[in-house]
Amino acid sequence: MSAVVSSHSDTSGYSSAESLISIKDEDFEGLLDSFSSASQRSDGGDERQEGNSSSSVSADEAGGVGDFSFEALLDADEGRAEFGAVKADEGLSSVEDCGRGESPAGEASRKRKSDEFGTASNVALATDTKKIRCSAPDEVEGVECVADSVRVNEGDQKTSKKHPLAESERDGDDEVKRRKASKLEGSSTSCPPHPGYMYGLCVRCGAEKGEDGEDAVPLSYVHRGLEFSKEEAERVAEQHATSLVNQGRLNLVLDLDLTLLNTCGIMMVSDEHRELCDSWLKKESTKNRRQSLFCLPHAGIYTKLRPFVFEFLDKLKDKFHLHIYTMGERPYALDMAKLLDPSGKLFDNRIVSRDDSAKDSVKNLDVVLGSCESTLIVDDTEAVWPKHRENLLKIERYLFFSSTARMYGKSSGLIETGSDECPEGGQLEVLLKVLLAVHEKHFPNDEGNSSSSQPLVKDVRGALKQVRRGILKDVNVVFSGVIPMDHRAPNTTKIWRLAEEMGATISQKVTREVTHVVTARGTTEKALEGKALGCCMVAPSWLEHCAVVWEKVDPAEHPVRK
């Protein structure tokens, strides 16, 4: 199929940028290329040109636009695309209209087009100088996708042209018909299967989503109403992962609350603690340092950013594709992203909230563009990642506000002490070193930008395991009184697996090779034997602490009860 792409400067007839997909002029040709990458292109009609005020190229030369490809919507890596609503019909002039249904004018327009072309899904693309509209009808005389019209505007001049193929067929051009039929034979551009949906309608044929679309992957954070079929999501994710590897980068998914920051409702803060917050805000305003505590009256919250968070993000931005993934609502996620990334360059549109997640209580990498093999996660809660624990770097919770601290069994938060987490040697600096170590194991050189570079450890989960195993690689432990004696499979318990993951050797009996006895009481038989041999006596919390800080902790910090 082909369409005519004509340059113009008049943007009238379209609503604001919020209801358009806007692409910079220099990226327009690349966008057209990406539209055809998902399926087999059809050949187009002759290149047409009308008047001296309009320069036109065929879409076949530019890459084709009739075969819908999601790459056009996902080219946000360098901030090239600003995602807005897709106008489902002439009568829908805004995102809100698309979300709630057609206006009377839109319904009449849709009926008129349906009578002429069949059900259609329209995509409006706009730039400062170029526009194109495509319609993908269910059936037009054996042709599966025909651009029904192209607007050509130059100043006050406005003309309308029919698609060359449609015009030729109506004029009885048998040669064009035969050439198109030959090209479309065996094409992969037909539905079903449906590649994806926008507001419940197939982006290619316009059909409503049925039972075959129940497993569609929601990507509303990329574009409201957008869903991928499972197959298309896997294809695009793999393509995206390959692109990142060629750039020497990995995906990094970051949780918000208790990981990068701590948020507390204003109404949950006592008068005494509110005075502490006001004092902290005043102190930051008088000192020459970056603000870390914020009061957001419109949201009714206080937010405290974790120390070292700006340095953490800045040092990772060139080696990782950064995402936010929170169980908070989308307005909250966007507010937090503005605090962390005022320029909008670090996260761009890669902000996933509870509203965008497939399940309310569980996080899943299915909604993150990229493969599990090239994605790492930083989160304070392991339970929300049941399918991706091997990708997870668990971080110690940041409990600045006392109301939050009490929810997790702490008597007070950091604000009551008048101090904060130390930036040097704090959790974010610790994880920064771990992430960079994993990146170094995944790529053969520290440059990480060469397209010819190939990963040393192809699966990032394997690289993460290698780094984690180095924590207790020289430790030999015996458990005493922490695993029930009648347990049929002690090696499946959480504490056993934790020690193994950190590289510790686990013994059943106390021998001279044993270095640590992990026990809740110092009076058990194995504890006494270990003490006689000079072994270190540590509480089970020692292993958890080692896992959090990614290094062997001083046993004296976790003494055993006598």
Side-chain angles (χ1 to χ4, degrees), residues 290-303:
R290 197 165 189 173
Q291 185 177 353
S292 65
L293 178 63
F294 299 86
C295 179
L296 306 179
H298 71 278
I301 58 175
Y302 283 108
T303 293

Side-chain angles (χ1 to χ4, degrees), residues 5 55 61 82 91 109 158 188 230 254 305 375-376 394 480 543:
V5 180
S55 61
E61 295 175 0
E82 298 174 4
S109 176
K158 296 182 180 180
S188 62
K230 186 176 180 181
L254 299 166
L305 303 184
T375 302
L376 292 171
K394 187 177 178 182
S480 178
L543 287 173

Side-chain angles (χ1 to χ4, degrees), residues 6-48:
S6 303
S7 66
H8 63 86
S9 59
D10 183 13
T11 60
S12 61
Y14 293 87
S15 59
S16 66
E18 292 181 354
S19 60
L20 298 172
I21 302 173
S22 303
I23 296 91
K24 295 180 181 178
D25 292 343
E26 58 267 26
D27 297 319
F28 188 71
E29 184 171 326
L31 173 67
L32 293 179
D33 290 336
S34 70
F35 258 90
S36 61
S37 64
S39 53
Q40 186 175 350
R41 281 188 303 198
S42 303
D43 192 24
D46 298 332
E47 177 178 297
R48 305 260 175 144

Side-chain angles (χ1 to χ4, degrees), residues 87-88 92 115 159 163 174 225 238 250 286 304 317 320 333 366 390 438-439 456 490 501-502 513 532:
K87 295 176 66 178
L92 304 182
D115 293 339
T159 63
H163 185 280
D174 294 336
E238 182 62 32
L250 299 171
T286 57
K304 175 65 173 66
K317 66 182 180 181
F320 291 86
D366 289 350
E390 291 184 332
V438 172
H439 185 279
L456 286 175
E501 288 171 0
M502 291 189 288
E513 286 72 32

Side-chain angles (χ1 to χ4, degrees), residues 342-458:
S343 68
K345 295 180 180 179
L346 296 177
F347 299 110
D348 199 19
N349 69 322
R350 300 181 297 276
I351 303 171
V352 186
S353 66
R354 181 175 64 192
D355 307 326
D356 311 308
S357 192
K359 294 183 180 179
D360 288 340
S361 58
V362 173
K363 296 181 180 181
N364 198 315
L365 290 181
D366 289 350
V367 299
V368 177
L369 294 177
S371 67
C372 296
E373 291 81 6
S374 59
T375 302
L376 292 171
I377 303 164
V378 175
D379 202 318
D380 67 284
T381 307
E382 181 180 355
V384 297
W385 294 100
K387 293 175 59 178
H388 306 291
R389 287 175 177 167
E390 291 184 332
N391 301 78
L392 177 66
L393 289 81
K394 187 177 178 182
I395 189 171
E396 192 172 31
R397 292 187 175 102
Y398 179 55
L399 302 173
F400 183 78
F401 298 106
S402 296
S403 56
T404 308
R406 285 192 290 269
M407 293 171 59
Y408 292 94
K410 305 290 185 179
S411 59
S412 62
L414 291 168
I415 188 172
E416 291 190 49
T417 66
S419 61
D420 204 351
E421 184 177 280
C422 183
E424 294 77 23
Q427 274 287 275
L428 289 181
E429 188 180 50
V430 167
L431 289 191
L432 172 64
K433 294 176 181 177
V434 174
L435 289 166
L436 294 178
V438 172
H439 185 279
E440 185 177 350
K441 284 186 175 294
H442 193 71
F443 292 101
N445 57 68
D446 193 47
E447 297 296 327
N449 295 319
S450 172
S451 60
S452 62
S453 64
Q454 295 297 321
L456 286 175
V457 183
K458 292 185 178 180

Side-chain angles (χ1 to χ4, degrees), residues 230-526:
K230 186 176 180 181
E231 295 75 16
E232 183 70 3
E234 291 174 353
R235 184 192 69 80
V236 174
E238 182 62 32
Q239 191 173 61
H240 187 67
T242 301
S243 175
L244 285 181
V245 169
N246 289 338
Q247 299 172 42
R249 300 171 77 190
L250 299 171
N251 262 338
L252 179 60
V253 178
L254 299 166
D255 176 46
L256 282 178
D257 212 24
L258 308 183
T259 298
L260 300 182
L261 48 86
N262 184 198
T263 292
C264 176
I266 292 176
M267 299 302 294
M268 297 178 65
V269 179
S270 66
D271 291 341
E272 179 185 354
H273 289 172
R274 192 167 297 152
E275 291 178 3
L276 291 174
C277 289
D278 292 341
S279 175
W280 193 287
L281 286 167
K282 184 177 180 180
K283 182 173 62 175
E284 286 194 330
S285 65
T286 57
K287 290 189 175 182
N288 186 23
R289 64 179 185 182
R290 197 165 189 173
Q291 185 177 353
S292 65
L293 178 63
F294 299 86
C295 179
L296 306 179
H298 71 278
I301 58 175
Y302 283 108
T303 293
K304 175 65 173 66
L305 303 184
R306 195 166 199 158
F308 199 73
V309 67
F310 293 114
E311 295 86 347
F312 176 79
L313 296 174
D314 184 66
K315 291 177 190 260
L316 291 175
K317 66 182 180 181
D318 294 329
K319 296 181 183 295
F320 291 86
H321 213 219
L322 303 178
H323 300 67
I324 285 174
Y325 196 153
T326 175
M327 299 308 290
E329 296 180 350
R330 185 154 190 80
Y332 168 75
L334 295 176
D335 279 342
M336 297 303 101
K338 288 177 183 177
L339 299 181
L340 294 166
D341 179 24
S343 68
K345 295 180 180 179
L346 296 177
F347 299 110
D348 199 19
N349 69 322
R350 300 181 297 276
I351 303 171
V352 186
S353 66
R354 181 175 64 192
D355 307 326
D356 311 308
S357 192
K359 294 183 180 179
D360 288 340
S361 58
V362 173
K363 296 181 180 181
N364 198 315
L365 290 181
D366 289 350
V367 299
V368 177
L369 294 177
S371 67
C372 296
E373 291 81 6
S374 59
T375 302
L376 292 171
I377 303 164
V378 175
D379 202 318
D380 67 284
T381 307
E382 181 180 355
V384 297
W385 294 100
K387 293 175 59 178
H388 306 291
R389 287 175 177 167
E390 291 184 332
N391 301 78
L392 177 66
L393 289 81
K394 187 177 178 182
I395 189 171
E396 192 172 31
R397 292 187 175 102
Y398 179 55
L399 302 173
F400 183 78
F401 298 106
S402 296
S403 56
T404 308
R406 285 192 290 269
M407 293 171 59
Y408 292 94
K410 305 290 185 179
S411 59
S412 62
L414 291 168
I415 188 172
E416 291 190 49
T417 66
S419 61
D420 204 351
E421 184 177 280
C422 183
E424 294 77 23
Q427 274 287 275
L428 289 181
E429 188 180 50
V430 167
L431 289 191
L432 172 64
K433 294 176 181 177
V434 174
L435 289 166
L436 294 178
V438 172
H439 185 279
E440 185 177 350
K441 284 186 175 294
H442 193 71
F443 292 101
N445 57 68
D446 193 47
E447 297 296 327
N449 295 319
S450 172
S451 60
S452 62
S453 64
Q454 295 297 321
L456 286 175
V457 183
K458 292 185 178 180
D459 192 328
V460 73
R461 292 169 293 192
L464 181 59
K465 283 181 180 178
Q466 288 184 13
V467 175
R468 185 178 276 121
R469 286 190 190 119
I471 299 174
L472 300 179
K473 62 180 180 180
D474 299 324
V475 171
N476 189 315
V477 303
V478 164
F479 294 111
S480 178
V482 295
I483 300 175
M485 295 183 64
D486 58 349
H487 201 292
R488 295 182 178 180
N491 61 332
T492 62
T493 59
K494 183 177 179 180
I495 193 169
W496 187 297
R497 288 189 291 107
L498 182 61
E500 277 190 334
E501 288 171 0
M502 291 189 288
T505 301
I506 301 174
S507 300
Q508 296 280 14
K509 297 180 179 180
V510 178
T511 64
R512 294 192 179 277
E513 286 72 32
V514 172
T515 59
H516 294 70
V517 176
V518 180
T519 180
R521 304 186 314 276
T523 56
T524 65
E525 182 179 346
K526 289 182 180 178

Side-chain angles (χ1 to χ4, degrees), residues 135-153:
S135 291
D138 289 334
E139 183 176 1
V140 182
E141 299 180 3
V143 179
E144 295 176 342
C145 187
V146 176
D148 64 289
S149 66
V150 175
R151 298 187 177 197
V152 182
N153 300 326

